[in-house]
Amino acid sequence: MTAETQFDSVQAYLDSGLRDNWYPVLSSWEVSSNPVGITRLGQQIVVWRDRDGQLHALEDRCPHRGARLSLGWNLGDRVACWYHGVEVDGQGEVKDVPAVDRCPLVGQKCLRSYPIQEAHGAVFVWFGVLAGDEPPALSFPEELADGEQYSHFLCTAAWKCNYQYALENVMDPMHGSYLHSASHSMAEGDRKADMLLEPTENGFMFRKSGQMGVNFDWVEYGHTGAAWLRLSIPYRKRFGPGGHFWIIGMVVPEDNDNCRVFFWRIRRVQGWQRDMWRFMYRNRLEQLHWDVLEQDRIVLENLAPQARDHEYLYQHDVGLSRLRRMMQKEAKQHLARINAAATENRQ
Ligand code: FES
Ligand SMILES: [Fe+2]
């Protein structure tokens, strides 16, 4: 399949996952010594740690006859295919074909390798638009980057919906007052609001014009190598120290109909208050948060088929409309590059 025929529209490309992005693909604890096979942006990838703990990500396809390398063995500095034992290193180069002497496959780079790094308890993989593109630097909002001031828990879940719906759900603060109205943190405040958009350093903020600091009143979209969403929810005193509860969210597409959400749940706490908050979170709050997240998952997994094609948007949907336009603009640029490269290859 050529790059040109792979996507027949901008929306088809977007549905599969916007490239030129770092995406969280797994939480750190999910990758130990065994190779892990995942599908992200429709691509099958094997992730593994070498004997030094260094992460590697390769196309999950043995160069010999296509067995999934994630079914194979970790040999410390390479992985070995389960089927006939071919050995491949972290750059995708064949190191040994144990079944034959002097095999010409040895020394060849046969597989695509992906830039990979670990941060804040998650494994990030970079997806370029074209082979040979270089990844940008990856940085994070201060609530994650400043580990002295803030403390977090990462929660991740697989949702059976396209990743854009998961992103748009967070770009829609008003749903907090309805879908989550019975929750521990979103029972307060107006159920009607005027909303406005404001530019920020790395993206834009979408917020209620009258009410701040009562409910899920604002959300910010930002891009710093990866796309993230930031919001805060005020907490009553009985939920312990730390004031506002911060959430940084990211979403990675698995394929057109599935995604993985990553939510870092954060409070600004230090010293004994941090210990107390971490204890309390595990014992009292975590289950409440899973309950809220389940409400989102149930609604999104049960949206009408092709929901996006039959919407009547109103003023509260300006935030998600803005995000759609930004993503479409970027997608058009990517597709133009993909098509230009495909044309060049044919000449
Ligand atoms: S398919 Fe992997 S070694 Fe044959
Ligand atoms: Fe929600």
Side-chain angles (χ1 to χ4, degrees), residues 197 199 203-204 317-327:
L197 276 172
F204 66 93
D317 305 311
V318 165
L320 63 89
S321 300
R322 163 69 67 97
L323 181 58
R324 283 180 186 174
R325 280 199 307 280
M326 285 173 58
M327 289 173 71

Side-chain angles (χ1 to χ4, degrees), residues 50-79:
D50 64 25
R51 66 162 72 91
D52 301 323
Q54 194 65 42
L55 285 161
H56 300 280
L58 292 176
E59 214 177 318
D60 193 7
R61 179 181 61 81
C62 176
H64 176 219
R65 287 194 41 232
R68 288 197 78 158
L69 287 172
S70 53
L71 295 173
W73 314 104
N74 185 346
L75 300 182
D77 63 344
R78 56 187 85 173
V79 282

Side-chain angles (χ1 to χ4, degrees), residues 294-318:
E294 273 300 279
Q295 295 165 343
D296 292 303
R297 184 187 67 77
I298 289 166
V299 166
L300 295 180
E301 289 190 351
N302 291 286
L303 287 175
Q306 280 82 51
R308 197 188 298 115
D309 301 339
H310 304 277
E311 296 168 331
Y312 291 93
L313 300 182
Y314 55 85
Q315 197 236 8
H316 292 167
D317 305 311
V318 165

Side-chain angles (χ1 to χ4, degrees), residues 125-187:
V125 166
W126 186 71
F127 293 81
V129 178
L130 297 174
D133 284 1
E134 286 294 319
L138 173 61
S139 61
F140 295 89
E142 81 168 271
E143 293 79 12
L144 280 182
D146 187 349
E148 297 277 302
Q149 295 291 324
Y150 297 90
S151 173
H152 68 251
F153 291 91
L154 169 61
C155 100
T156 171
W159 287 357
K160 295 187 187 66
C161 69
N162 186 275
Y163 75 107
Q164 292 158 97
Y165 290 117
L167 282 175
E168 290 166 6
N169 178 57
V170 188
M171 283 314 301
D172 165 24
M174 250 351 250
H175 86 265
S177 305
Y178 289 84
L179 180 64
H180 307 311
S181 62
S183 75
H184 64 293
S185 59
M186 286 180 264

Side-chain angles (χ1 to χ4, degrees), residues 339-347:
N339 290 337
T343 311
E344 206 165 284
N345 280 344
R346 275 200 314 270
Q347 285 166 355

